[in-house]
Amino acid sequence: VAERIRVDAPGGGYEIVIEAGLLAQTERLVSGFGLGGKVVVATNTSIAPIYGNRLAKSLPDASLVTMPDGEQYKTLETVAQLYRDFVHAGLDRSGTVIALGGGVVGDTVGFAAATYMRGVRLVQIPTSLLAMVDSSVGGKVGVDLPEGKNLAGAFKQPDFVLIDPAVLKTLPAREWRCGMAEVIKHGLIADDGLLDPALYVPERAVELVRRAIQVKVDVVQQDPYENGVRAHLNLGHTFAHAIEQVSGYSWLHGEAVAVGLKGAALLSRNLGLCDDSLPTIVGDILAEVGPPSRLDGLSSEQIYAAMGTDKKWRAGRSRFVLLRKIGEPVIVEDVPKADVIRVLEALR
Ligand SMILES: NC(=O)c1ccc[n+]([C@@H]2O[C@H](COP(=O)([O-])OP(=O)(O)OC[C@H]3O[C@@H](n4cnc5c(N)ncnc54)[C@H](O)[C@@H]3O)[C@@H](O)[C@H]2O)c1
Ligand SMILES: [Zn+2]
């Protein structure tokens, strides 16, 4: 069965379609989603041989272009190369770009599509769990600069987001766990049904992905330009971004988010916002997905200092998304440093 989620967005809404086996249904891709015109399937060198070649061959007028695999290629240099590949493929203003891959491909190719000839049609086909439930929804695209992550970008709403959970069977286990950290984050923010481990099996992927997406859709529809409630999606992320940075990016984002969610739960309890059971519930559900990560050698002082460079800490005032209980996030400012350090020590 196909699940469809309608997203209202500034400048026209779009539909997210979730269906196992969707990628193999050429007729529907062509007539249902307007992929009959000139199409560029843009992916990376790992996804091309598994899904990209086949998809490009199955569409009537499609070319395949590839970027290298890895966050280090989420750059303006790659965007410039994509523009040139688009030209050589004969893509004009009436054409469509398909971003096929994880969040790195979605962000980079999405940014290229947003700016090539002042913008062409974009279809997101996320292939990682994280990209399905997080990065392909919400319209944010962009690249990193040497000075920091995601410093150049745009809002670009896709024309469709097409999700085929069947592709998750080739996703590396480590990447699955990373996506699950964001799924659990969505559960903690707004849908405790997502905190049921019975959902965490391949046979229920359509349901898992649909529910996790719905949380993000509800939030971004209320706040498309990130002025208010969209901040709730940053639960655990003040910790996570600092941990990633201090680890020299040897930790993957989702791994840092998992620890960050525990940090947010502990901080919520220590500040008296929620009762004692919350950190235990959060720890237990994360343990269902994989062995717990610990901060080990990473210095609490360094992590705290890295938090201070967070874009969201306005004028140096600390700012955390915390929980009163499951389903009730709250933004708390000016948390004393000693409370944060105490939590970081507990995560060791
Ligand atoms: N735009 C947004 O709103 C938003 C939100 C969250 C994250 N992001 C961005 O997303 C990126 C992270 O995305 P990610 O976690 O998907 O990482 P990723 O794109 O690097 O993908 C992870 C790895 O899995 C591989 N892969 C993906 N799908 C696969 C499949 N089906 N089978 C086999 N291998 C597969 C990729 O090639 C890559 O090696 C970061 O750059 C982050 O900044 C953006
Ligand atoms: Zn995240």
Side-chain angles (χ1 to χ4, degrees):
V1 289
E3 298 273 2
R4 289 172 175 261
I5 298 175
R6 176 84 207 156
V7 184
D8 290 318
Y14 57 95
E15 213 167 43
I16 302 168
V17 181
I18 311 161
E19 184 179 344
L22 183 60
L23 273 190
Q25 298 184 40
T26 308
E27 260 317 299
R28 282 186 64 205
L29 296 177
V30 170
S31 55
F33 308 113
L35 298 181
K38 177 68 207 174
V39 169
V40 169
V41 177
T43 188
N44 71 26
T45 47
S46 308
I47 308 288
I50 347 181
Y51 306 110
N53 290 324
R54 200 178 338 134
L55 178 63
K57 281 204 191 91
S58 75
L59 299 172
D61 185 14
S63 310
L64 184 79
V65 312
T66 55
M67 59 178 276
D69 188 0
E71 177 80 28
Q72 69 271 34
Y73 299 105
K74 195 175 125 174
T75 60
L76 289 170
E77 287 72 25
T78 301
V79 171
Q81 185 58 51
L82 286 168
Y83 292 148
R84 303 187 60 210
D85 293 341
F86 293 172
V87 175
H88 294 139
L91 185 72
D92 67 17
R93 239 174 263 179
S94 66
T96 300
V97 169
I98 297 179
L100 173 74
V104 169
V105 166
D107 281 11
T108 312
V109 171
F111 185 63
T115 43
Y116 178 73
M117 296 188 171
R118 297 193 188 80
V120 292
R121 273 169 51 96
L122 172 66
V123 173
Q124 291 274 11
I125 305 187
T127 61
S128 69
L129 180 60
L130 184 139
M132 291 177 185
V133 303
D134 193 352
S135 59
S136 67
V137 183
K140 290 206 276 181
V141 294
V143 295
D144 303 330
L145 299 181
E147 286 74 14
K149 276 187 51 105
N150 298 320
L151 287 181
F155 282 97
K156 168 72 174 169
Q157 305 301 339
D159 291 87
F160 286 100
V161 179
L162 303 182
I163 297 180
D164 183 349
V167 303
L168 292 171
K169 69 178 182 296
T170 54
L171 186 72
R174 190 178 178 195
E175 299 294 344
W176 167 265
R177 288 195 294 273
C178 284
M180 280 306 302
E182 304 284 1
V183 169
I184 290 169
K185 178 193 78 177
H186 290 182
L188 293 171
I189 295 170
D191 179 5
D192 63 1
L194 282 169
L195 305 177
D196 176 3
L199 268 185
Y200 306 167
V201 291
E203 307 78 64
R204 297 185 70 182
V206 170
E207 188 182 353
L208 180 82
V209 167
R210 195 226 347 121
R211 288 182 79 142
I213 289 176
Q214 191 66 56
V215 173
K216 179 148 186 187
V217 167
D218 290 345
V219 172
V220 299
Q221 277 186 171
Q222 285 178 62
D223 183 13
Y225 292 119
E226 208 168 17
N227 302 312
V229 291
R230 193 154 171 174
H232 293 164
L233 294 169
N234 288 325
L235 181 69
H237 278 57
T238 298
F239 288 96
H241 290 142
I243 292 165
E244 284 179 86
Q245 203 182 314
V246 171
S247 80
Y249 293 93
S250 64
W251 285 49
L252 293 178
H253 176 69
E255 293 166 341
V257 170
V259 173
L261 292 174
K262 279 193 238 174
L266 285 169
L267 190 54
S268 303
R269 185 206 52 199
N270 292 354
L271 295 176
L273 292 169
C274 66
D275 65 47
D276 275 344
S277 63
L278 190 81
T280 313
I281 294 170
V282 173
D284 288 350
I285 194 70
L286 287 164
E288 289 286 339
V289 179
S293 307
R294 308 229 126 249
L295 291 182
D296 290 329
L298 304 181
S299 130
S300 299
E301 283 294 336
Q302 274 185 32
I303 294 172
Y304 188 80
M307 286 176 174
T309 63
D310 193 314
K311 282 182 282 194
K312 274 122 193 158
W313 284 27
R314 297 190 188 129
R317 296 177 67 181
S318 76
R319 194 161 191 266
F320 288 88
V321 182
L322 300 177
L323 288 169
R324 286 193 193 285
K325 59 180 191 209
I326 291 166
E328 215 179 292
V330 52
I331 293 169
V332 180
E333 294 196 319
D334 292 326
V335 176
K337 176 179 174 184
D339 288 302
V340 180
I341 296 283
R342 189 175 151 213
V343 165
L344 291 170
E345 289 299 316
L347 293 170
R348 205 158 288 292

